[in-house]
């Protein structure tokens, strides 16, 4: 079976994206599991390669089909958007525009079946907005570019999988948005991903919104019974192994020790904090529900260390591994 071709977007060029890409592509096992092609600026990758002492050549190409994907040489679909010595570690409109163009090109390539999956380096939301692209992040941007009405964010670490009902909105707005239909659709998307990965009947646990799952109405305004219980019952009626709503504080402990295959979090921080505490460097972000496979590092642009050559590449390596496992194979 052919190795999947994965396009890697360079992310915000002022952040650590170029560095973690060059570090990740020093790992020969990355090339053993996939055929990587970077969408970005070859000049920036060369600069990042020198900073991290990668010892890799960078080949500038004009079409993804020109890529040779040979270990030791990084193929870069070169959009030539940056000048030499583009600043590291600062929020720039030009960087936001470049990050947008990289992901736009990657989406076009995968939608045209010229590659099998997208793996994204981090972008800066402020820079993206300064460039006129008002999206909360990659998840919503890719949904827009692929004309997908609804997607979900799943975070994966070695000990935990978490899918989110809501993500980049305020907590009050998140609680207002949660309703049984949305919760059921999110559970379904997570269930489908796990089944595709070979789990016949995955164990899925659903978080409550309030402390102690509302304590039978003592906390909150009955959100668990109104917003979550009907969705859980609907999934159970399909024969799925779904339980909840359960108190989040103990649920994540149980899931971390292996009692559940996936946790359904109700809002951003409820799901993100456990993943990042368990290991930010090995976490992966997967967008579920797109017509294409998309994985990402589970960290930001880290402007404070950008350009210093000290960023850890393990999340990028793991994101590439996850993309390779999830991707279909082209002929």
């Amino acid at each position: 079976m052919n190795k999947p071709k994965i396009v890697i977007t360079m992310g915000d060029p002022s952040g650590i994206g170029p560095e973690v890409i060059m570090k990740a592509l020093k790992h020969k096992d990355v090339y053993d599991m996939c055929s990587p092609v970077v969408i970005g600026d070859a000049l920036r990758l060369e600069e990042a390669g020198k900073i991290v002492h990668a010892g890799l050549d960078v080949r500038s190409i004009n079409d993804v089909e020109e890529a040779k994907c040979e270990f030791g040489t990084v193929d870069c679909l070169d959009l030539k958007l940056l000048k030499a010595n583009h600043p590291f570690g600062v929020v720039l409109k030009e960087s936001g525009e470049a990050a947008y163009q990289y992901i736009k090109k990657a989406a076009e390539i995968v939608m045209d079946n010229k590659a099998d999956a997208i793996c994204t380096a981090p972008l800066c939301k402020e820079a993206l907005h300064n460039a006129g692209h008002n999206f909360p992040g990659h998840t919503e941007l890719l949904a827009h570019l692929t004309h997908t009405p609804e997607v979900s964010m799943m975070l994966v670490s070695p000990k935990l999988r978490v899918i989110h009902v809501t993500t980049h909105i305020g907590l009050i707005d998140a609680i207002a948005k949660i309703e049984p239909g949305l919760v059921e659709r999110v559970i379904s998307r997570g269930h489908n991903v796990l089944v595709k990965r070979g789990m016949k009947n995955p164990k899925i646990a659903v978080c409550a919104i309030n402390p102690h799952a509302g304590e039978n109405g003592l906390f909150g305004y009955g959100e668990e019974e109104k917003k979550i219980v009907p969705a859980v019952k609907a999934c159970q009626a399909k024969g799925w192994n779904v339980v909840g709503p359960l108190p989040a504080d103990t649920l994540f402990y149980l899931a971390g020790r292996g009692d559940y295959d996936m946790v359904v979090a109700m809002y951003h921080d409820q799901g993100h904090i456990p993943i990042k505490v368990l290991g930010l460097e090995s976490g992966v972000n997967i967008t579920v529900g797109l017509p294409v496979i998309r994985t990402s590092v589970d960290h930001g642009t880290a402007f404070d260390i950008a350009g210093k050559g000290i960023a850890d590449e393990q999340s990028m390596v793991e994101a590439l591994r996850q993309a390779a496992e999830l991707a279909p194979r082209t002929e």
Side-chain angles (χ1 to χ4, degrees):
M1 183 176 289
N2 292 338
K3 292 183 292 185
K5 181 174 286 185
I6 299 175
V7 287
I8 309 169
T9 58
M10 204 171 72
D12 189 301
S14 293
I16 61 173
E19 294 168 77
V20 296
I21 289 171
M22 293 301 287
K23 280 188 168 184
L25 296 182
K26 286 176 62 177
H27 294 247
K28 188 177 184 303
D29 60 337
V30 168
Y31 283 80
D32 293 337
M33 63 189 176
C34 70
S35 297
V37 182
V38 181
I39 312 297
D41 273 70
L43 184 62
R44 188 52 151 189
L45 286 179
E46 289 173 352
E47 292 171 347
K50 292 176 182 176
I51 290 170
V52 302
H53 307 291
L56 303 172
D57 294 325
V58 176
R59 178 191 294 125
S60 176
I61 59 176
N62 297 311
D63 191 292
V64 71
E65 295 177 333
E66 297 174 16
K68 297 181 180 179
C69 303
E70 299 170 334
F71 177 66
T73 300
V74 176
D75 291 293
C76 176
L77 180 58
D78 193 358
L79 300 193
K80 299 181 174 67
L81 299 176
L82 307 175
K83 296 179 181 179
N85 299 314
H86 186 80
F88 279 105
V90 291
V91 177
L92 293 173
K93 173 183 175 181
E94 294 79 6
S95 295
E97 180 62 29
Y100 174 81
Q101 294 300 332
Y102 303 152
I103 195 67
K104 182 172 181 287
K105 176 59 71 174
E108 291 171 357
I109 289 168
V110 178
M111 293 291 281
D112 287 341
N113 296 316
K114 292 183 178 180
D116 303 294
I118 300 171
C119 183
T120 60
L123 54 72
C124 170
K125 297 175 181 64
E126 183 180 352
L128 186 70
H129 290 184
N130 289 346
H133 306 292
N134 294 315
F135 298 93
H138 270 120
T139 302
E140 297 82 2
L141 174 53
L142 278 164
H144 169 75
L145 292 172
T146 59
H147 310 291
T148 306
E150 188 176 273
V151 296
S152 297
M153 176 187 292
M154 178 184 283
L155 301 182
V156 177
S157 75
K159 292 185 177 181
L160 193 62
R161 299 179 187 89
V162 182
I163 192 167
H164 293 69
V165 174
T166 65
T167 49
H168 296 124
I169 55 177
L171 184 55
I172 292 174
D173 295 330
I175 294 171
K177 184 175 180 179
I178 297 166
E179 51 87 18
L182 174 59
V183 175
E184 183 181 350
R185 292 193 299 275
V186 172
I187 295 171
S188 180
R189 279 191 282 270
H191 181 271
N192 290 342
V193 168
L194 298 184
V195 169
K196 287 180 180 178
R197 299 195 112 177
M199 299 182 192
K200 292 184 178 180
N201 190 23
K203 296 176 290 184
I204 299 172
V206 182
C207 284
I209 295 172
N210 294 299
H212 301 274
E215 198 75 73
N216 295 316
L218 291 179
F219 305 136
Y221 298 92
E223 288 88 355
E224 280 71 28
E225 287 295 325
K226 296 174 186 176
K227 295 171 175 285
I228 303 174
V229 169
V232 172
K233 288 182 176 179
C235 291
Q236 291 171 340
K238 300 174 187 177
W240 297 353
N241 191 352
V242 179
V243 298
L246 301 176
D249 54 357
T250 52
L251 171 51
F252 282 106
Y253 166 74
L254 297 173
R257 74 180 188 185
D259 289 14
Y260 300 105
D261 297 307
M262 186 179 73
V263 173
V264 180
M266 290 296 118
Y267 52 91
H268 183 282
D269 285 10
Q270 187 181 60
H272 277 60
I273 290 172
I275 286 281
K276 294 188 176 184
V277 168
L278 285 173
L280 177 63
E281 72 285 347
S282 57
V284 176
N285 182 333
I286 302 173
T287 305
V288 181
L290 292 171
V292 301
I293 299 299
R294 179 259 174 165
T295 67
S296 179
V297 294
D298 188 30
H299 58 70
T301 49
F303 284 152
D304 57 324
I305 62 170
K308 298 180 181 179
I310 59 175
D312 192 298
E313 77 276 18
Q314 288 305 311
S315 185
M316 175 59 74
V317 172
E318 187 59 29
L320 287 165
R321 187 183 316 281
Q322 295 281 347
E325 290 180 2
L326 290 168
R329 268 55 170 173
T330 55
E331 297 299 329

